[in-house]
Amino acid sequence: MVELLLDAAGLALTFQNLLGVLFGLLLGAALGAIPGLNGTMAIALIVPLTYFWDPLFSIALLMGCWKGSIYGGSITAILLNAPGTPEAAATAIDGFPMQRQGQGRRALHMALFASVIGALVSDILLLGASAPISRLALKFGPAELAMLILFSLVLVAGTGSESHLKGLISTMLGVLIAVVGLDPMTAQRRLTFDILELDSGFDLLAMLIGLLVLSEIINQVWTGEARDDVATGAEAVSARGDGSRLSLRDIRGSIGVIFRSSMIGAFCGALPGVGAITAAFMGYDHARMSAKDARRFGKGDIRGVAAPEAANNAVCGSALIPLVTLGIPGSLSVAVIMGAFMVHGVAPGPMLMVEQRDLVYALFLLLIASDLLLPVVALPLIAAGQYLVTIPKRYLFPVIVIFCATGAYSAQQSLFDVKVMVAFAILGFVMKRLSLSPAALLIAFILAPMAETYLRQALRISRGEFSIFVGSPIAAGFAIATVLLFVWSYLRSRRGTDGRALDP
Amino acid sequence: MSDELRGEGAGGRREALTAGGLSIVVSVAALTYLVPRGIGPIGSDPTILAMIGSFGLGAFGILLVVSGLRMPAAEPATRVHGGSRLRATGLMVICLVYAFALDWVGFMTASYVALAVLMLLLRVRSILALLLVPAGVLLGIYVGIELALGARLPEGSIEWPFPWQGGSGSLNG
């Protein structure tokens, strides 16, 4: 293990890769700080640019961008009560009251400290847990994997939609879109409607950019959010101006909450479909409920900043556990990261830990490096925060539209992909208006080809007998879990008590 | 909690009926395409997942329509401003026209015009900004994509004499 880590360190910790992490952190934190933009959108916009770069450098940059965006969201949550990302919504509950009391800098520094600790806990867990889970996953055959993916599809059907039924519709739509193109086994055309460009299916990046970025812009213009500028100026009290400091006493008083919230976040991250928003609120609730003087929460308690920040940052590392061990993205952000892996020829799944172990461990080390480098980027950004967040959306949105088109075109240098991007933007917008879930569609789009391969392999092995899917204890276990989850979700949705997280 | 995050019972009847109805339409269209093309034994049939997806979409669509019909007819008061809707529709139209115009107008010209029109649509009224922001953004993209990455931006038939085409005068394709 030590030898493996040393080899991975040699591969990962180069000046170029660390620069990539730093650049990613800076970009992610800056974009994450702007309300309306989030880490997933930032990654989707950057992926096409990394097409020509070294895989490790590119993935390091994108991971840095993701981590940076989660922290960046807290800057505006604290300074303006406008969370830059949904993950930072819980941070605003106590962060903004602290800012109004002239304690903004103290809150921002605590958010940074908690973010670093949360991310480190999660990354160390990832480092330790990935290899054993991968070894277990290698024992799975096609039937077990097909049932595991089916279970994941039902689980993630709840991602981004308040109704499980609507989530399932979005998932099925994702499955249908994924099969468009030539069948890899028989080369038969499927749902191409005689459009030649569709023979190779829809390009993932064009689809990502359209569904996540452009559709969100259209939606914000529709709801009128683009009419107002982000900050009014009066609210944007300078964090530089206040004399508050994070003290050792603050850290001592919050360290227990930070570690416990980090564990909550790491647990949430490892579960498909749960996500950083749920983790942040669970972390906050835990801090509030475990406090002796809970009345201060909501009025500017520093633990109310530390807990959600530790929890939402702890999601990043552990969210990669199902990805690198099973090839299953548990959330939209991880699905986009998976897309980036695939663009660079890295196929996540159990074999990744066997075939490209050095690369995986190098990536883990770069994740830890990104945690340690976060303060380098964040401290200057805290000072610049109040200026950054005042970029008006009437300038920002048109520029992003052009970046979307450039990104969609650059990946394959195909103008057809720009049309695909616009079509998916309109689809994503319509889905949002109907409370359907673009996130569930996207995850299903990524999982469906794997599901199809395993489904057909299993059916060929069993000569068409569907009993193979309940033939082994693991497959039967997943089948029962899928049915139970389906029934539970449906009943919960019918009762109208569905409080599922909206993963960005 | 915003309207979008409320439960189904909070006036989502029209939403549920529309989403369910559209799902059924897509499902029927997909099945109409797939059924005549389904071949081979189970296991090598290339349409098996598409069939499952189509049936699932239709079935869940029917369930959603049924649940929508059971919801109260009252709709929540909409808070969306009419001008915003018009602007969003304009944005979609501009994006569509832009995507199709790229083929023959070329990236630089189409993007310059699209960016300026989008800014106008979102109520930027400064002439200087309308002229300079697109120019700055496109210069950045040109430097980043063409010069730094060495990739070619799509050329249009009306762009050939301009310097960003390197004086090649080559047409698209």
Side-chain angles (χ1 to χ4, degrees):
Chain A
M1 183 72 179
V2 175
E3 199 178 322
L4 178 68
L5 283 175
L6 285 174
D7 286 348
L11 191 65
L13 303 178
T14 63
F15 177 72
Q16 179 189 313
N17 289 341
L18 293 176
L19 203 66
V21 170
L22 263 179
F23 184 60
L25 283 169
L26 181 66
L27 210 60
L31 289 175
I34 299 169
L37 294 182
N38 58 47
T40 315
M41 290 165 75
I43 298 165
L45 278 172
I46 295 167
V47 171
L49 300 178
T50 69
Y51 211 68
F52 308 98
W53 299 343
D54 174 65
L56 192 58
F57 173 79
S58 304
I59 294 171
L61 187 146
L62 295 167
M63 294 300 302
C65 183
W66 183 31
K67 289 200 163 194
S69 72
I70 291 187
Y71 171 72
S74 70
I75 297 176
T76 37
I78 292 167
L79 289 179
L80 304 171
N81 199 25
T85 56
E87 293 93 330
T91 309
I93 299 172
D94 277 280
F96 188 61
M98 284 185 74
Q99 157 73 358
R100 299 192 83 160
Q101 293 158 21
Q103 303 282 313
R105 178 179 274 204
R106 184 169 159 239
L108 285 164
H109 286 176
M110 175 52 89
L112 177 60
F113 177 75
S115 298
V116 171
I117 300 292
L120 272 174
V121 166
S122 182
D123 290 342
I124 290 166
L125 191 74
L126 171 72
L127 197 68
S130 295
I133 296 174
S134 281
R135 277 196 291 275
L136 181 72
L138 283 172
K139 291 177 184 162
F140 286 20
E144 286 81 6
L145 286 166
M147 294 315 291
L148 172 64
I149 293 175
L150 182 66
F151 175 71
S152 304
L153 281 174
V154 175
L155 199 62
V156 299
T159 305
S161 178
E162 86 272 12
S163 149
H164 204 75
L165 207 48
K166 288 180 179 172
L168 286 167
I169 285 176
S170 311
T171 304
M172 289 297 155
L173 202 56
V175 169
L176 262 186
I177 292 169
V179 296
V180 170
L182 293 180
D183 172 43
M185 284 167 78
T186 63
Q188 190 188 334
R189 286 198 171 90
R190 300 180 301 187
L191 296 169
T192 58
F193 296 97
D194 297 327
I195 300 169
L196 281 179
E197 286 96 335
L198 286 181
D199 278 0
S200 52
F202 291 109
D203 179 58
L204 175 65
L205 291 180
M207 198 177 146
L208 273 178
I209 295 170
L211 269 178
L212 300 183
V213 188
L214 193 50
S215 74
E216 182 57 31
I217 289 175
I218 298 170
N219 197 41
Q220 287 198 25
V221 172
W222 179 273
T223 53
E225 286 172 57
R227 287 164 65 202
D228 307 314
D229 289 346
V230 176
T232 59
E235 281 179 306
V237 185
S238 168
R240 194 181 286 186
D242 75 50
S244 62
R245 290 280 183 281
L246 185 69
S247 65
L248 268 175
R249 196 175 157 206
D250 289 332
I251 293 173
R252 268 203 305 272
S254 306
I255 197 78
V257 160
I258 289 174
F259 273 108
R260 288 194 298 274
S261 299
S262 301
M263 294 311 292
I264 291 170
F267 179 71
C268 288
L271 295 177
V274 178
I277 307 167
T278 311
F281 279 101
M282 281 176 72
Y284 182 83
D285 282 344
H286 161 74
R288 191 169 50 85
M289 285 191 288
S290 62
K292 287 174 188 166
D293 47 350
R295 277 180 305 169
R296 283 170 53 198
F297 277 80
K299 295 170 188 164
D301 193 308
I302 199 161
R303 290 167 298 177
V305 173
E309 279 303 303
N312 66 24
N313 279 274
V315 165
C316 293
S318 62
L320 291 179
I321 294 175
L323 181 71
V324 294
T325 58
L326 301 165
I328 291 174
S331 71
L332 184 57
S333 313
V334 181
V336 179
I337 295 278
M338 184 177 176
F341 272 63
M342 284 151 70
V343 161
H344 289 285
V346 180
M351 291 308 290
L352 185 65
M353 294 293 281
V354 178
E355 290 168 352
Q356 290 177 289
R357 213 156 58 139
D358 282 359
L359 182 80
V360 174
Y361 277 92
L363 182 65
F364 292 169
L365 290 180
L366 279 172
L367 283 175
I368 293 174
S370 73
D371 303 335
L372 300 173
L373 288 172
L374 182 60
V376 177
V377 168
L379 288 172
L381 203 65
I382 287 172
Q386 69 269 31
Y387 305 112
L388 187 78
V389 298
T390 53
I391 300 171
K393 286 181 180 175
R394 60 179 184 270
Y395 289 100
L396 195 62
F397 282 178
V399 173
I400 293 174
V401 171
I402 301 303
F403 280 140
C404 286
T406 313
Y409 168 78
S410 306
Q412 298 195 90
Q413 308 221 344
S414 157
L415 284 173
F416 181 72
D417 288 341
V418 181
K419 297 182 185 95
V420 167
M421 187 262 303
V422 174
F424 275 101
I426 295 171
L427 175 69
F429 166 69
V430 171
M431 288 181 77
K432 280 175 187 166
R433 297 318 307 162
L434 295 174
S435 301
L436 293 169
S437 166
L441 183 152
L442 201 59
I443 296 174
F445 177 82
I446 290 172
L447 287 177
M450 284 190 277
E452 182 177 31
T453 305
Y454 296 134
L455 179 76
R456 287 166 74 177
Q457 278 177 1
L459 285 171
R460 283 168 80 101
I461 291 167
S462 70
R463 299 184 183 189
E465 288 292 325
F466 279 89
S467 58
I468 192 171
F469 296 112
V470 287
S472 76
I474 297 173
F478 280 124
I480 293 167
T482 305
V483 173
L484 289 177
L485 178 69
F486 183 83
V487 173
W488 177 75
S489 306
Y490 184 68
L491 291 176
R492 198 173 174 215
S493 186
R494 273 176 66 94
R495 282 186 202 133
T497 55
D498 203 343
R500 195 170 289 107
L502 294 166
D503 202 33
Chain B
M1 189 180 274
S2 73
D3 286 351
E4 284 181 337
L5 304 189
R6 279 189 204 140
E8 276 179 82
R13 179 188 165 95
R14 198 170 62 184
E15 256 179 25
L17 292 178
T18 313
L22 283 175
S23 304
I24 295 167
V25 169
V26 174
S27 163
V28 170
L31 285 172
T32 311
Y33 180 94
L34 289 167
V35 169
R37 290 169 172 81
I39 52 159
I42 286 176
S44 48
D45 183 355
T47 61
I48 183 167
L49 194 69
M51 292 276 201
I52 293 171
S54 306
F55 276 118
L57 191 63
F60 294 132
I62 291 168
L63 281 175
L64 193 60
V65 168
V66 171
S67 85
L69 289 172
R70 286 181 183 163
M71 285 177 195
E75 291 286 321
T78 178
R79 285 181 293 171
V80 177
H81 191 263
S84 301
R85 287 185 174 189
L86 206 63
R87 252 184 285 283
T89 311
L91 175 58
M92 283 187 273
V93 171
I94 292 167
C95 287
L96 275 172
V97 171
Y98 169 64
F100 282 91
L102 277 172
D103 277 327
W104 58 277
V105 178
F107 180 84
M108 286 295 185
T109 313
S111 300
Y112 192 98
V113 174
L115 193 44
V117 174
L118 284 171
M119 285 166 68
L120 261 175
L121 185 81
L122 296 182
R123 298 198 279 200
V124 173
R125 294 291 177 260
S126 157
I127 301 288
L128 206 61
L130 289 171
L131 289 173
L132 292 183
V133 172
V137 169
L138 290 172
L139 182 68
I141 291 174
Y142 177 74
V143 170
I145 302 287
E146 292 237 357
L147 298 186
L149 296 178
R152 296 286 289 173
L153 290 165
E155 302 165 6
S157 45
I158 67 164
E159 276 190 336
W160 65 270
F162 296 104
W164 56 80
Q165 299 304 343
S168 65
S170 62
L171 300 181
N172 190 23

